[in-house]
Amino acid sequence: MTDTATTASAPVDDPSERVPTPSNRRTSSLSDPVWRVVAGREMAVKIRDRGFLISTFVTLALILGVLGAQLYFGSSAEQITIGEVGSESAAVIKRADALANQADDSTEITGKRFASDAALQAAVLSGQVDAGLVTSADGWTLIGKTDPNSTVQTWIGAAAQQTALERNTAAAGTTVTDLMRGSSVKYSLLSPDETPDAVVRGSTSVFGFLFYVIAALLGVSLATSVVEEKQSRIVEIIASSIRLRDLLIGKIVGNTIMALVQVVVFAVAAVIALRAMDQSEVLEQITPGLGWFLLFYTVGIALLACIYAAAGAIATRIQDIQSTTTPITLLVAVVFIAGISASGTFQTVISFVPLTSTIVMPGRIVAGDTSWWEPVASLLISLITAAVVVLVSERIYRRALMQTGGKLSFRQAYKLTD
């Protein structure tokens, strides 16, 4: 009797209490840390991912390399050696170097004396000097090997004209000042405070390049991780513990944060490089656009992350990733091309279109071509669009993720029932 009673009172091992099921699955919301745990895991995996690290360092090296090359070639002086015969040619060469310095040209022009015209020509042919300068009854003659050197032609020509002008005015009994009176040319700028077109085009191209590269790399990586979890059936275990909605939110937040970290690193590197190049004025011109770019970029990347996650969910195998993500990658490419090439009214219109606004609106801000309300309105449109895309993508992701029968289309996945 005692054994029977003891057995009857012992707790029953209910399988439903050991293995979570849809009915007792943990529910969570944005105030619950579940999605944050997923986001943290995504960031931890991403920071250890070799592909992510390599792409980051390669892009960073590319940015610094381009800016460094501009710094090097901009600061390094072009050394030009001109062979000369006679003191008169030497004076012209010296004056050419002085004129180049006065014009803030980094070119350094030096002369090298030769005993005869024949020796000078031999030096030009052998490459000992970049060009030769000889005097004649009609003036001076530059001697080259295969083609004219435009830099030599510019400064030697200016020096020769100035030398001849001084000689001729002295012979005529007047002065160069009197002869040149009324010939000065001044440059008057109508909009000196506007950003130069070169800076606007350059900053817009950089914004577009960063958005395109990071969006493409992030998207394929996210879609691949989704289909890997689906193919290995790990997602079924995860789904028994948390809602798929929280899993998606965590993935989007984690990947968006890592993409934002990437672009911030690139922006900091570019700022440091511009300061090193003594381009503080350019930095001041692009700073407002850079701040708005980070805002638009965050919204755009989050929007694309949702779509890429849905693209991974409708795939069944890793081999399906290319076909499901190609339309999105093409869309990003079109956004990039349109963003950097648009102008006029078309540029104004697409600066309010989600995704293209990520590239175009910051560029317009750099150009000073916007009213205060335009970037605000464009960002609100992007946020509203992102909210709609998140809802649609979440439905596709949630309904397609547990389907293993074969690859689905976005439309088929959307029509599935929970």
Side-chain angles (χ1 to χ4, degrees):
M1 291 293 294
T2 303
D3 293 340
T4 303
T6 302
T7 302
S9 63
V12 178
D13 187 12
D14 186 356
S16 65
E17 295 179 0
R18 288 188 290 106
V19 181
T21 63
S23 59
N24 63 9
R25 182 184 302 164
R26 177 182 179 180
T27 60
S28 56
S29 62
L30 286 178
S31 61
D32 195 275
V34 173
W35 66 271
R36 299 180 207 169
V37 174
V38 177
R41 175 184 173 277
E42 287 292 317
M43 289 187 286
V45 170
K46 186 72 71 176
I47 201 66
R48 294 193 300 266
D49 181 65
R50 181 176 300 179
F52 174 80
L53 295 176
I54 291 176
S55 65
T56 300
F57 285 121
V58 167
T59 306
L60 181 60
L62 181 62
I63 294 173
L64 294 178
V66 171
L67 295 175
Q70 293 179 354
L71 176 62
Y72 174 77
F73 289 112
S75 61
S76 60
E78 182 182 2
Q79 304 285 340
I80 294 178
T81 303
I82 300 177
E84 42 89 6
V85 178
S87 59
E88 195 170 11
S89 295
V92 171
I93 294 172
K94 186 175 181 180
R95 172 165 282 179
D97 182 60
L99 291 174
N101 291 334
Q102 291 174 9
D104 292 329
D105 193 305
S106 59
T107 303
E108 292 184 5
I109 304 174
T110 57
K112 186 175 183 180
R113 183 179 294 275
F114 290 90
S116 64
D117 291 351
L120 173 60
Q121 292 176 9
V124 172
L125 289 173
S126 63
Q128 295 181 36
V129 293
D130 298 293
L133 181 65
V134 296
T135 185
S136 63
D138 297 332
W140 289 271
T141 300
L142 280 169
I143 301 173
K145 183 177 180 180
T146 57
D147 55 346
N149 186 312
S150 60
T151 303
V152 171
Q153 199 168 16
T154 297
W155 295 119
I156 293 295
Q161 289 176 1
Q162 194 174 92
T163 301
L165 183 62
E166 290 177 352
R167 183 176 62 239
N168 294 336
T169 53
T174 183
T175 65
V176 174
T177 303
D178 291 337
L179 197 62
M180 298 296 294
R181 185 176 292 115
S183 64
S184 62
V185 177
K186 297 180 180 179
Y187 217 126
S188 178
L189 300 177
L190 299 178
S191 302
D193 297 331
E194 288 189 8
T195 306
D197 289 340
V199 176
V200 175
R201 290 194 300 269
S203 58
T204 303
S205 298
V206 171
F207 294 154
F209 171 77
L210 290 178
F211 180 68
Y212 172 73
V213 171
I214 297 177
L217 294 175
L218 163 77
V220 174
S221 174
L222 177 58
T224 301
S225 69
V226 170
V227 76
E228 283 177 347
E229 292 175 350
K230 180 177 180 179
Q231 187 174 359
S232 63
R233 313 297 286 269
I234 293 177
V235 70
E236 297 179 12
I237 301 175
I238 298 175
S240 67
S241 302
I242 65 174
R243 294 187 305 176
L244 294 180
R245 178 175 299 151
D246 295 311
L247 178 61
L248 176 62
I249 293 173
K251 284 182 174 294
I252 293 171
V253 171
N255 282 273
T256 301
I257 291 176
M258 293 307 298
L260 184 60
V261 169
Q262 271 187 313
V263 80
V264 168
V265 170
F266 299 151
V268 170
V271 168
I272 294 174
L274 287 174
R275 287 193 175 277
M277 296 169 63
D278 196 21
Q279 297 291 331
S280 298
E281 184 178 356
V282 174
L283 183 59
E284 291 177 1
Q285 292 168 341
I286 67 173
T287 297
L290 180 59
W292 278 102
F293 171 70
L294 293 177
L295 291 175
F296 279 96
Y297 170 86
T298 303
V299 176
I301 287 294
L303 187 153
L304 287 174
C306 293
I307 302 175
Y308 273 110
I314 65 176
T316 305
R317 305 170 303 161
I318 295 295
Q319 293 83 346
D320 299 332
I321 286 295
Q322 183 174 0
S323 62
T324 59
T325 59
T326 294
I328 313 169
T329 305
L330 289 176
L331 173 63
V332 177
V334 170
V335 167
F336 169 64
I337 295 172
I340 65 173
S341 61
S343 61
T345 304
F346 179 65
Q347 182 187 52
T348 303
V349 171
I350 67 173
S351 67
F352 291 92
V353 177
L355 293 184
T356 54
S357 60
T358 305
I359 303 171
V360 180
M361 185 58 77
R364 290 186 60 206
I365 293 172
V366 171
D369 189 31
T370 60
S371 301
W372 68 267
W373 59 269
E374 292 185 77
V376 176
S378 180
L379 185 60
L380 287 176
I381 293 173
S382 294
L383 287 170
I384 294 172
T385 304
V388 175
V389 171
V390 166
L391 292 176
V392 174
S393 298
E394 185 269 339
R395 175 170 175 167
I396 294 174
Y397 176 86
R398 178 165 42 85
R399 297 182 176 186
L401 193 61
M402 306 303 291
Q403 301 293 323
T404 58
K407 185 180 70 173
L408 300 170
S409 67
F410 283 100
R411 180 178 299 179
Q412 290 171 334
Y414 185 80
K415 292 181 178 180
L416 291 174
T417 57
D418 292 322

